[in-house]
Amino acid sequence: MGIHCLNAVRKQMYFQHYYADEFPNGPDEMHWMHQRHCLHMVLQSLTCNANVDIVPHRWVENDKVPFAQFSIERKCRNFDNLRRWNQENAIKDVRKVWPHSKDAMPADAFVWPAFGE
């Protein structure tokens, strides 16, 4: 979810390139709802998995104060392996396996309002 949403926010920054043909009269409410959702998901990811690494500082020639060294190497997860696992284990077309009847919906399910679909 995080990378999908970060990419969606990135694409929004270049709206004319990615969305101009899809929304010639400007984005609709569903598009904005998706953007707000994605921005919130990125925020949740950053705050819930906050980086607490130590940022060392070093003296740099001609500077009067130490400078933060942000170029430290971190141990990362193998993203290619994660992506491969996801592709191998994902439900291929999740909408086809969901029930297609209101009768299948639990009686206490929250139903989100539609946006004119």
Side-chain angles (χ1 to χ4, degrees):
M1 177 70 69
I3 289 181
H4 159 81
C5 280
L6 183 58
N7 190 44
V9 172
R10 178 192 67 82
K11 287 165 62 174
Q12 181 63 34
M13 292 176 67
Y14 302 97
F15 182 88
Q16 287 303 106
H17 177 75
Y18 289 101
Y19 299 117
D21 293 341
E22 185 178 351
F23 301 107
N25 299 320
D28 61 10
E29 180 57 27
M30 190 61 116
H31 175 83
W32 284 119
M33 188 172 79
H34 182 234
Q35 294 300 314
R36 287 189 298 268
H37 151 78
C38 277
L39 195 55
H40 189 249
M41 293 303 293
V42 171
L43 177 63
Q44 276 189 44
S45 181
L46 290 171
T47 56
C48 294
N49 299 294
N51 182 338
V52 294
D53 290 351
I54 294 172
V55 177
H57 285 61
R58 62 182 176 191
W59 290 100
V60 178
E61 189 176 16
N62 299 325
D63 279 355
K64 294 179 181 175
V65 296
F67 187 79
Q69 185 178 351
F70 294 113
S71 61
I72 58 175
E73 288 189 33
R74 294 188 172 98
K75 176 73 175 162
C76 297
R77 292 183 176 100
N78 185 320
F79 186 74
D80 291 334
N81 287 348
L82 287 171
R83 188 172 198 144
R84 189 174 312 108
W85 180 91
N86 179 265
Q87 289 169 342
E88 292 169 0
N89 293 280
I91 297 172
K92 300 305 177 210
D93 191 348
V94 72
R95 292 191 178 269
K96 287 185 179 175
V97 299
W98 284 344
H100 288 82
S101 167
K102 289 257 184 191
D103 297 333
M105 183 174 28
D108 61 346
F110 177 82
V111 179
W112 288 90
F115 290 96
E117 298 90 341

